[in-house]
Amino acid sequence: MRMVFRWFGEGNDTVSLEQIKQIPGVEGLVWALHDVPAGDEWPMEKIEEVRRQADRYGLHLDVVESVNVHEDIKLGLPSRDGYIENYKRTIEKLAKAGVKVICYNFMPIFDWLRTDLHKPTGDGSTALFYEKAKIHNIDPFELVRTINENSALTMPGWEPERLAHLTKLFEAYRNVTEEDLWKHLQYFLEAILPVAEQNGIKMAIHPDDPPWPIFGLPRIITNQQNLRRFLSLVDSPSNGITLCSGSLGANPENDIIAMIHEFQERIPFAHIRNVRVFDNGDFIETSHRTADGTVDIAGIVKAYFDNGFNGYARPDHGRHIWGEECRPGYGLYDRALGIMYLWGLWDAYVKAEQAAESKQ
Ligand code: DNO
């Protein structure tokens, strides 16, 4: 398990590289050029600038999250080919900069979705929360307004320019079915995976968060069966998954441990976090500790360990604790605690294995 930490860039994050460097066992950053709009080619000078910043702290840039996919690609419009060309050029440039894994998602219009970014948890901390009934009743326009008003920093996946044409986008998706989305995804993969393969890059799709359709928009990367279908769209070692335990874990029917065993060769990147799912379908993001949520984090880490997982992992969102002012879900403290929990589990499994071997 190679531990990495998401960083939004100089002037765009409350967490500094100096702080990240001091978290035990963190070897690299999970980064992106957040100011480049989806669909544009990433400029080499900007990539190199991040490289220089990371180099100063001896942190690598092996993992990018995300190179966002333009809506025209998801919609299957004729204009997609130009955006796909840009995507390919970006893959080549990132490979030149030493990148090994590119995380992306294929969710129509919205990326991750929550109804409350600062839900009190009862102990003085707050966390990201999803209220099922609210999603059924809220107008998506209002949700976008609330999300953006709530945070001083632009939320990843909620960039204003991306959501500026919401009415037009909803209109465009009106007749797009799940099967259409699968076809558009396949077209995209067939175009980019040969370039990724030639350049030694693993593409890692992020599951839909939450893993079910919202606002009548189709969502397909939601469960084990669909992940299996996804991997069979194009059989390439570069066609992989960002296995996010928090996103998939919002549906209690998802057996994440079984997914790790089945897809282990195609998981270059793991997002490890816990959620507590309530009987009414609401869920809240909790600490990483197994006992605090409904996702078996200890079992998940054990499954990675048993499969000799050597990919990248990051703690995912954290709660907002100890009064920290930060990007919702992306503070320093709770994510650092999460890392120590993950290492604690991992090291205990290493020791147990060594003890078992020495007895033989
Ligand atoms: C939210 C993140 C997502 C994720 C993308 C990956 O905090 O988990 O925005 O980065 O879905 O493409």
Side-chain angles (χ1 to χ4, degrees):
M1 181 166 70
R2 304 183 60 183
M3 193 63 75
V4 285
F5 197 84
R6 193 172 195 187
W7 183 64
F8 290 90
E10 209 71 69
N12 195 27
D13 203 315
T14 54
V15 183
S16 69
L17 292 181
E18 194 178 7
Q19 289 168 325
I20 296 172
K21 181 69 185 170
Q22 293 171 10
I23 307 170
V26 170
E27 58 174 52
L29 300 174
V30 175
W31 65 285
L33 297 181
H34 291 278
D35 57 342
V36 179
D40 285 12
E41 187 178 328
W42 288 17
M44 201 63 199
E45 318 79 70
K46 287 196 176 188
I47 297 173
E48 274 162 5
E49 199 183 320
V50 184
R51 151 105 301 130
R52 279 192 295 276
Q53 293 161 350
D55 276 352
R56 260 181 250 137
Y57 291 88
L59 293 163
H60 66 63
L61 293 183
D62 291 6
V63 186
V64 166
E65 178 178 347
S66 310
V67 179
N68 284 321
V69 178
H70 195 275
E71 292 302 327
D72 289 9
I73 298 176
K74 297 180 232 169
L75 283 161
L77 300 179
S79 46
R80 67 180 155 179
D81 292 329
Y83 294 118
I84 289 177
E85 280 311 306
N86 289 349
Y87 208 101
K88 290 190 205 163
R89 300 292 84 79
T90 299
I91 293 177
E92 287 165 352
K93 285 184 186 167
L94 289 174
K96 278 205 192 87
V99 167
K100 307 279 186 283
V101 176
I102 298 177
C103 169
Y104 67 104
N105 69 76
F106 216 74
M107 289 177 250
I109 311 185
F110 299 103
D111 193 314
W112 60 274
L113 193 92
R114 300 289 181 272
T115 53
D116 192 342
L117 301 177
H118 292 101
K119 175 88 172 170
T121 64
D123 61 6
S125 66
T126 64
L128 302 178
F129 178 65
Y130 180 94
E131 188 181 340
K132 203 162 195 170
K134 200 163 179 184
I135 289 289
H136 286 299
N137 299 324
I138 202 171
D139 159 18
F141 292 83
E142 193 184 328
L143 190 74
V144 171
R145 238 186 339 268
T146 343
I147 294 278
N148 282 325
E149 268 168 12
N150 243 284
S151 174
L153 297 164
T154 303
M155 302 285 289
W158 290 83
E159 296 79 8
E161 73 278 0
R162 209 177 121 163
L163 300 173
H165 311 290
L166 213 51
T167 316
K168 252 171 59 195
L169 279 173
F170 266 101
E171 188 55 32
Y173 273 105
R174 210 148 58 109
N175 297 315
V176 177
T177 63
E178 281 189 11
E179 283 311 309
D180 293 330
L181 202 57
W182 280 113
K183 267 194 236 128
H184 303 161
L185 177 54
Q186 176 148 13
Y187 184 93
F188 172 66
L189 291 174
E190 280 170 356
I192 62 152
L193 285 174
V195 179
E197 245 182 79
Q198 279 154 24
N199 286 277
I201 293 248
K202 298 214 160 130
M203 298 300 302
I205 199 164
H206 190 284
D208 303 343
D209 183 355
W212 49 75
I214 44 150
F215 302 131
L217 298 165
R219 286 190 165 211
I220 54 179
I221 308 299
T222 51
N223 57 35
Q224 189 163 358
Q225 193 188 335
N226 286 10
L227 281 169
R228 195 176 299 136
R229 177 170 177 187
F230 164 75
L231 291 176
S232 72
L233 290 179
V234 178
D235 186 20
S236 154
S238 287
N239 191 21
I241 302 167
T242 298
L243 200 86
C244 178
S245 67
S247 306
L248 293 163
N251 178 355
E253 281 171 25
N254 276 332
D255 182 344
I256 295 154
I257 294 174
M259 295 185 202
I260 295 169
H261 289 302
E262 178 173 349
F263 306 129
Q264 40 128 346
E265 279 172 14
R266 293 290 182 80
I267 307 176
F269 188 24
H271 281 185
I272 312 183
R273 88 174 137 87
N274 209 341
V275 289
R276 174 164 292 281
V277 182
F278 300 99
D279 292 344
N280 64 359
D282 294 353
F283 65 86
I284 189 153
E285 300 195 358
T286 63
S287 97
H288 282 65
R289 192 166 177 237
T290 306
D292 289 344
T294 37
V295 180
D296 180 7
I297 300 295
I300 285 172
V301 175
K302 179 79 166 58
Y304 281 122
F305 179 80
D306 288 344
N307 282 300
F309 179 64
N310 195 28
Y312 303 92
R314 72 167 176 87
D316 206 6
H317 309 155
R319 300 160 303 147
H320 320 112
I321 63 172
W322 303 333
E324 186 179 16
E325 300 275 344
C326 56
R327 283 179 166 279
Y330 285 100
L332 170 65
Y333 304 145
D334 203 38
R335 285 191 295 159
L337 289 178
I339 287 183
M340 289 316 290
Y341 181 65
L342 300 179
W343 277 138
L345 290 168
W346 187 271
D347 291 350
Y349 298 140
V350 171
K351 287 283 173 201
E353 189 177 68
Q354 285 169 352
E357 275 166 11
S358 70
K359 268 196 208 132
Q360 279 166 14

